[in-house]
Amino acid sequence: GFCLSSLAIVFVIIATVVAVLGGFGHSQMFPYYTVSSIAQIGVFKHLDAIQSSVWLVCVFIKCAFYLYLSYFSIQRLIPKKAMPWCIVVFGAIVMIAASLATPGIDNMDIIFSPYALGLGLLALGVLLPFALIAVGAVKGAKSRKEEGAQK
């Protein structure tokens, strides 16, 4: 139900943008905002506010989901005794990275360079899963060894 309704909403938005802007919509950075600013009638006048609020809620949900996943990933890598300190350290790292990224567009160019994005993708998409698999294999081998010793 949810997937079908989401698909229908996205289809209506894309159809509206294509019908109103045509080929000009391809050159716009935010075509949905352009359509909502062109429409000067009734409820369509405030579509940009609705779109912005939905975007903000989606960003919040995505950040919460990523933090939740990172907590469980870190929990598998680090011993339980060190976990409270690691949360503080990783929180400080996130705060420092955010403060470095936001003050100017120059820092954003460095962060979004293909080299930096490639390294981040390599670290998060390849190295972290392999590290989690290796830790799981080592812990599994230890638990099997302990079970064998108990029998």
Side-chain angles (χ1 to χ4, degrees), residues 41-100:
I41 53 172
V43 71
F44 296 112
K45 189 186 259 184
H46 301 288
L47 282 178
D48 57 338
I50 293 170
Q51 190 258 345
S52 297
S53 62
V54 167
W55 181 80
L56 228 88
V57 168
C58 289
V59 166
F60 179 75
I61 290 171
K62 188 187 288 187
C63 287
F65 180 70
Y66 285 146
L67 286 173
Y68 185 72
L69 287 178
S70 64
Y71 171 74
F72 281 109
S73 297
I74 292 168
Q75 189 177 18
R76 293 188 70 183
L77 290 173
I78 297 173
K80 289 184 180 182
K81 291 179 183 177
M83 197 63 187
W85 293 105
C86 290
I87 291 172
V88 172
V89 169
F90 285 123
I93 290 170
V94 168
M95 283 179 38
I96 290 169
S99 65
L100 290 175

Side-chain angles (χ1 to χ4, degrees), residues 94-146:
V94 168
M95 283 179 38
I96 290 169
S99 65
L100 290 175
T102 54
I105 197 72
D106 297 332
N107 294 338
M108 295 300 281
D109 290 340
I110 294 169
I111 291 171
F112 289 123
S113 71
Y115 183 69
L117 284 177
L119 287 178
L121 184 63
L122 178 69
L124 293 176
V126 178
L127 298 178
L128 182 63
F130 279 133
L132 291 173
I133 290 170
V135 168
V138 169
K139 285 184 178 180
K142 280 185 181 179
S143 66
R144 284 192 297 270
K145 191 176 186 180
E146 289 173 1

Side-chain angles (χ1 to χ4, degrees), residues 12-23 35:
V12 168
I13 289 172
I14 292 173
T16 304
V17 168
V18 169
V20 172
L21 297 178
V35 168

